Amino acid sequence: MSNASLEALQPSLQPQPGAPDNWKRFFTFSTDHKVIGIQYIVTAFVFFLFAGLLAMVMRGELLTPEADLVDRTVYNGLFTMHGTLMLFMWTFPMLNGLANYLVPLMIGARDMAFPRLNAAAFWLVPVFGVILTASFFIPGGPSQSGWWAYPPVSLQNPTGNLINGQSMWILAVALSGISSIMGAVNIVTTIFRMRAPGMGWFKMPVFCWTVLAAQLIQLFGLPALTAGAVMLLFDLTVGTSFFNPELGGDPVLYQHFFWFYSHPAVYVIILPIFGVFSEIFPVYSRKPLFGYPVVAVSSLVITGLSGIVWVHHMFASGTPGWMRMLFMFSTMTISVPTGIKVFAWVATVWGGKIRLNTPMLFALGGLIMWVFAGITGIMLASAPFDIHVNNTYFVVGHFHYVIYGAVVMGFYAAIYHWFPKMTGRMYYEGLGKLHFVLTFIGANLNFFPMHPAGLMGMPRRVASYDPEFAFWNVLASLGGFLLGVSTLPFLLNMLSSWARGPEAGDNPWRAIGLEWMVSSPPPHENFDEIPVVVSRPYGYGSDEPLVANASEKE
C-alpha cells in the first residue's frame, strides 16, 4: 500500500464511536452503523450471560439422576427459555452486530443503506428480550414447550389467562422476525448498491459474501415461521384449529412451517462465522485465502440448498419413505459446499507463517469443533440413524457443537480480531489465551459426553434419568460450569482493555482490507473519500495495492 493511497483514505478528525470517552453514545438512538453494531453486540452478550446461567441451573439439576434441584415444570421453562434466548437474543443479534459494524467498512461505504431503519431494527431487540424474560414473572411462568413450540403441547394453557408464557413467547418471536427482516433488507441493499467503485463481486471480502447469503435466507425463510407463529397464536387465543388435533387440526403442519425456516436458520447463524474464519486465517497465516472465488460462491450454494432440507428434522414424524429419501439426499448434499470451505481454510493455513494469538486460536478451535459437528451431522442426515437417536442427547450434543463449538468460538475470534478497530485499544493477550483454553476444554467436556449418553438412549428434555447415564452427565455438568467460569477472563479483558488498554494503532495485525485503512476506531462517516478498489482481497505476499492511489484516481 503506497503512502499516497493511505493519505487519500485517511479520515478527518471527527467523533470516534468506539472510544471510551464516547460510551454514552451507545445508549442513544444513533443512526451510525458502528454504534448500532456495538449496541447489538453488547446487548446480545448480556442475554448470552443470562441464558448461560439458565443452562448452569439445568446442568446442576442433571448432576444427579433424581430431580432434586428444581421442579420439573420449572425445568421445562428453563430449557425452553435457554434455547429461545440463545437463538433469538444471542446468535441473531450478535451476527447483526458484526454485519452492521463491518460490512459498510469492508465495502467502502459511509453507512448502511437505511440508517433509521437500521436503528429501529436494533431497538426492537431489547423490547422482545424484555418480553421473553418478563414471562418468568407472570402466573404459570414462561413457555414450557421448547424453543420449537410444537403443538399440542404449546396449545396448553393451564392458567386460562390470555397473557401467558406461550403467548408472550410467540409475540417475542414475531418481533424478532420483524427486526430480522428489517435488518436483512438493509444489509442486502447495502451490499448490492453501496460497494465502492471497482469492488465487483469477486473483489468483495468473503465475510460480506457470507452475510449476504445468510440474509437472503432470512428473506425467504422468515415468512414461513411468521405464518406458523400467527396461526399458533390464533389456535391458542381464539380457538382456531390449524394445528389443534382435538378440533381436526394437523400438528405436523406446524412442524413444516417451523422447520422450513428454522433449519436454514442454522446456516443463517453459521455462514457469517464461515466469513469470520475466511477473514482471520489469511491474516494470521500471512497467505492469500485459498480458492477465494469458490469459497465465495459456495456460500450462495449453501443458501440455495438450505431451502430443501427442512424435513430432515421430521424423519420421525410419520414422513413418507420417498420424502425421507429425498431429504436425506439433500441434507447430505449440503455438506459439499461446506466441505469446500473447510479444505480451503486448511490449505490457507498449511505452510503459512502462523501466529497463534487469541483470534487465531479461537478460529482454529472453532474449525476443529465444526468438523466434528459436521461428521455427526452427516450421521444424523441418514434417516435410519436419525430415527434411532431421535430425541436423545446425541442430537443435543451435535447441535451444541455447531452453536457453541463453531458459532460462539467464531464470535470470540471476531471480537478479539476486530476489538482494536472498534475501540482503538489492544486487548490483553494473556487473558485472551486463558479464555480460549477454558472455553475449548469446557465446551468439549460439556458437549462430547452427550453423544455417548444419547447413543445409550438418554432422552433429551428430562430433569431425571436412569442412573446408567450419571457418569456422562457429571462430566457434562462439570464442563458446563467451566464454560460459565470461562466468561470471567473475557469480561475482565474486554472491560479493562476498552478502558485503559494500550493504544492499538490503525492496523495492528498488518491486515489487508478496507476496514483496516481507516483510523481505530473509525470516524463517523468512515471515509473522507470513497476508495477505488483495484485488486482482490487477501493479497498477502503481493505488492499489488488494494485501492488506487490518489494520482490514479484523478
Side-chain angles (χ1 to χ4, degrees):
M1 180 60 58
S2 66
N3 291 333
S5 63
L6 288 176
E7 290 171 1
L9 288 171
Q10 186 64 36
S12 59
L13 295 176
Q14 300 182 42
Q16 295 179 316
D21 56 351
N22 287 325
W23 63 271
K24 293 180 181 179
R25 302 186 64 182
F26 301 111
F27 295 92
T28 64
F29 189 87
S30 174
T31 57
D32 187 335
H33 74 95
K34 299 177 291 298
V35 173
I36 294 171
I38 294 177
Q39 286 174 327
Y40 266 116
I41 291 170
V42 174
T43 302
F45 196 79
V46 170
F47 282 98
F48 172 69
L49 294 177
F50 178 54
L53 288 175
L54 300 184
M56 293 177 71
V57 175
M58 289 192 293
R59 289 314 321 175
E61 174 62 84
L62 295 172
L63 266 173
T64 59
E66 300 81 15
D68 50 12
L69 182 61
V70 296
D71 184 79
R72 283 183 169 86
T73 58
V74 174
Y75 186 86
N76 292 342
L78 289 175
F79 74 69
T80 298
M81 295 303 294
H82 165 74
T84 305
L85 289 168
M86 282 296 191
L87 288 168
F88 294 103
M89 292 304 304
W90 161 239
T91 54
F92 292 132
M94 183 69 185
L95 292 169
N96 284 335
L98 291 177
N100 264 279
Y101 195 96
L102 295 173
V103 166
L105 288 167
M106 286 183 165
I107 65 174
R110 287 198 167 102
D111 208 323
M112 299 290 282
F114 310 112
R116 288 183 176 84
L117 183 70
N118 198 24
F122 163 71
W123 284 104
L124 280 176
V125 174
V127 171
F128 61 75
V130 169
I131 291 173
L132 278 174
T133 52
S135 66
F136 278 97
F137 304 104
I138 63 173
S143 169
Q144 300 177 29
S145 59
W147 71 272
W148 49 92
Y150 280 178
V153 174
S154 58
L155 297 178
Q156 299 175 5
N157 182 13
T159 65
N161 296 328
L162 181 63
I163 299 177
N164 54 73
Q166 190 63 57
S167 63
M168 294 179 72
W169 183 93
I170 296 172
L171 176 60
V173 169
L175 290 174
S176 172
I178 293 171
S179 172
S180 294
I181 291 173
M182 292 163 66
V185 169
N186 212 345
I187 292 169
V188 169
T189 305
T190 301
I191 293 175
F192 267 90
R193 303 295 298 173
M194 299 184 68
R195 300 192 309 276
M199 181 173 280
W201 289 107
F202 289 103
K203 291 181 183 177
M204 188 169 68
V206 170
F207 179 78
C208 299
W209 277 91
T210 57
V211 168
L212 174 63
Q215 298 305 318
L216 290 174
I217 294 174
Q218 295 281 64
L219 291 178
F220 77 71
L222 267 172
L225 177 64
T226 304
V230 169
M231 288 188 284
L232 185 66
L233 183 62
F234 285 165
D235 281 6
L236 181 66
T237 56
V238 299
T240 55
S241 58
F242 295 110
F243 310 126
N244 191 338
E246 293 183 354
L247 301 177
D250 185 358
V252 176
L253 177 62
Y254 172 84
Q255 295 186 32
H256 284 284
F257 278 107
F258 181 84
W259 288 115
F260 184 78
Y261 168 72
S262 295
H263 185 87
V266 175
Y267 301 106
V268 173
I269 295 167
I270 196 64
L271 273 167
I273 299 303
F274 291 166
V276 169
F277 292 164
S278 298
E279 300 301 320
I280 286 178
F281 288 137
V283 174
Y284 302 110
S285 300
R286 311 312 299 174
K287 286 179 60 182
L289 178 65
F290 184 86
Y292 158 70
V294 180
V295 173
V297 172
S298 66
S299 300
L300 296 182
V301 176
I302 292 173
T303 296
L305 291 174
S306 71
I308 54 172
V309 296
W310 79 92
V311 180
H312 153 70
H313 291 272
M314 301 170 58
F315 285 159
S317 298
T319 308
W322 66 267
M323 189 177 287
R324 287 177 178 172
M325 293 297 293
L326 175 64
F327 282 88
M328 182 172 67
F329 175 77
S330 64
T331 305
M332 290 183 174
T333 302
I334 207 168
S335 66
V336 175
T338 56
I340 287 172
K341 292 180 182 293
V342 172
F343 282 113
W345 297 327
V346 172
T348 300
V349 174
W350 193 271
K353 298 177 180 178
I354 299 175
R355 181 180 178 184
L356 290 176
N357 60 358
T358 303
M360 186 64 161
L361 287 171
F362 271 105
L364 289 172
L367 174 58
I368 292 169
M369 298 185 76
W370 168 251
V371 170
F372 182 82
I375 293 171
T376 57
I378 292 295
M379 297 167 67
L380 289 169
S382 173
F385 183 84
D386 183 84
I387 292 172
H388 175 68
V389 298
N390 179 64
N391 274 334
T392 71
Y393 259 85
F394 189 94
V395 180
V396 180
H398 160 75
F399 186 66
H400 281 80
Y401 260 86
V402 173
I403 296 298
Y404 204 105
V407 174
V408 176
M409 297 282 276
F411 281 155
Y412 283 136
I415 290 171
Y416 281 109
H417 179 63
W418 281 289
F419 181 83
K421 179 56 57 181
M422 293 178 179
T423 65
R425 305 279 183 172
M426 287 298 296
Y427 62 85
Y428 296 106
E429 192 68 49
L431 282 173
K433 290 181 177 178
L434 174 63
H435 176 214
F436 167 75
V437 171
L438 294 177
T439 302
F440 189 75
I441 295 174
N444 283 282
L445 187 61
N446 190 355
F447 306 129
F448 180 81
M450 296 179 180
H451 295 80
L455 289 174
M456 294 167 62
M458 180 176 173
R460 64 195 298 188
R461 304 189 290 272
V462 293
S464 59
Y465 53 86
D466 191 284
E468 68 173 320
F469 307 125
F471 172 74
W472 298 113
N473 276 284
V474 169
L475 290 181
S477 293
L478 292 176
F481 301 148
L482 183 57
L483 278 184
V485 172
S486 73
T487 61
L488 298 179
F490 173 76
L491 289 171
L492 176 62
N493 202 352
M494 293 297 101
L495 294 174
S496 60
S497 300
W498 181 66
R500 52 185 174 81
E503 292 187 6
D506 294 342
N507 189 0
W509 312 129
R510 295 185 295 117
I512 297 174
L514 292 180
E515 77 270 28
W516 297 105
M517 295 181 184
V518 297
S519 64
S520 298
H524 182 70
E525 292 190 346
N526 299 340
F527 305 95
D528 259 4
E529 184 179 351
I530 298 298
V532 177
V533 179
V534 297
S535 64
R536 289 183 177 182
Y538 316 113
Y540 297 96
S542 171
D543 293 330
E544 183 181 6
L546 180 63
V547 300
N549 60 37
S551 61
E552 289 173 333
K553 289 189 283 185
E554 291 175 353

